[in-house]
Amino acid sequence: MLLLPAMRKKAAAAAAGGGDVVREHWLVRDMFSFENVGFTRDVGNVKFLVCADCEAGPIGWHCLDDKDSFYVALERVAHE
């Protein structure tokens, strides 16, 4: 489980704080599998994944200790 910060767009003036406990996620081993995902600057030992089009997010995270593990929160993305 991980506490992922509250979802918002970069331009939104939402107050910092809050978030969701992520219980289900996909593990992606290759960052080049993503077609339209950006990364935030380091926040401690984590980079958050955001939509590269609208900068909404975070939609997932990447722990810098493991170069080949990228996690996408199921509840933050549309999927079939």
Side-chain angles (χ1 to χ4, degrees), residues 13-65:
D20 303 311
V21 175
V22 175
R23 297 188 194 309
E24 296 182 302
H25 57 273
W26 286 309
L27 169 61
V28 179
R29 290 286 183 190
D30 183 2
M31 70 182 275
F32 296 107
S33 296
F34 297 116
E35 290 187 21
N36 209 17
V37 172
F39 296 87
T40 64
R41 292 186 177 157
D42 298 0
V43 179
N45 202 30
V46 172
K47 286 184 183 247
F48 292 108
L49 284 61
V50 298
C51 173
D53 275 341
C54 66
E55 296 183 348
I59 59 169
W61 71 96
H62 166 60
C63 180
L64 298 174
D65 289 337

